[in-house]
Amino acid sequence: MAQIHLEIVTPDRKVLSQPVDYVGAPGIEGEFGIMANHVPFLSALGIGNLYYKENGKYYYVFVAGGFAEVNNNKVTILAEVAERAAEIDVSRARIAKERAEERLRIQKEEMDFARARAALQRSLARMRCRSSAETAGTCTM
Ligand code: ATP
């Protein structure tokens, strides 16, 4: 099967760089899928889980914000934040979820609801990422 090169980078590090069979990514306007020989494409990323297929298995990476670009049979993910499933600290995500939920419960004028909602979305997506990878048997470094 023809492959496409997937590279995921953040401002701090290269998270992943390898050929894959398929990439699904959380675009700001919904999920999109990319296979080999896709036409050039650019999309902003939302908060969610990118997944890729390699050798019949699905692997999961949490991403939040940034851009995806497809060009010359390469998918470049320039993410503000990205973690492979095995890197996710589930108890930290659970604490972040509780903190965000608590903030969303407080009815105070100075409360930044958009920020709390985004933190909640990140924590839920991290937990989903981890459990999807565990179910797929690909939660490895
Ligand atoms: P927290 O409130 O726990 O910091 P957050 O969603 O506000 O969570 P981010 O701003 O998205 O955190 O990320 C800050 C840095 O911490 C990034 O480098 C990110 O990869 C890392 N990080 C945050 N949460 C986790 C987690 N649960 N597991 C692994 N790395 C994490």
Side-chain angles (χ1 to χ4, degrees):
M1 179 181 194
Q3 291 193 306
I4 186 162
H5 196 91
L6 171 64
E7 182 160 288
I8 304 177
V9 293
T10 71
D12 305 328
R13 65 190 179 117
K14 187 186 282 185
V15 177
L16 189 141
S17 180
Q18 66 176 81
V20 300
D21 297 329
Y22 181 84
V23 182
I28 203 133
E29 285 168 14
E31 185 181 310
F32 58 86
I34 305 285
M35 293 173 82
N37 305 313
H38 198 284
V39 292
F41 172 78
L42 182 68
S43 171
L45 291 171
I47 296 170
N49 292 311
L50 177 148
Y51 61 94
Y52 60 92
K53 188 176 179 199
E54 192 213 346
N55 257 333
K57 285 189 171 178
Y58 287 92
Y59 296 80
Y60 297 83
V61 181
F62 165 80
V63 293
F67 291 91
E69 185 192 31
V70 182
N71 205 4
N72 282 333
N73 215 33
K74 181 174 181 182
V75 186
T76 308
I77 305 289
L78 298 167
E80 285 168 25
V81 180
E83 294 133 31
R84 297 168 65 169
E87 295 174 312
I88 292 172
D89 178 340
V90 177
S91 45
R92 178 173 168 176
R94 205 168 286 131
I95 291 166
K97 173 179 174 283
E98 281 160 16
R99 194 170 48 233
E101 283 172 341
E102 182 57 31
R103 288 190 172 137
L104 289 168
R105 264 195 295 273
I106 300 168
Q107 302 285 328
K108 274 194 193 158
E109 255 180 44
E110 65 269 26
M111 174 54 61
D112 185 343
F113 282 101
R115 185 173 165 187
R117 262 197 307 272
L120 180 60
Q121 247 184 300
R122 289 196 296 277
S123 61
L124 293 172
R126 281 184 170 112
M127 291 193 276
R128 218 168 35 238
C129 183
R130 184 69 184 227
S131 66
S132 299
E134 280 170 2
T135 304
T138 56
C139 193
T140 54
M141 289 299 288

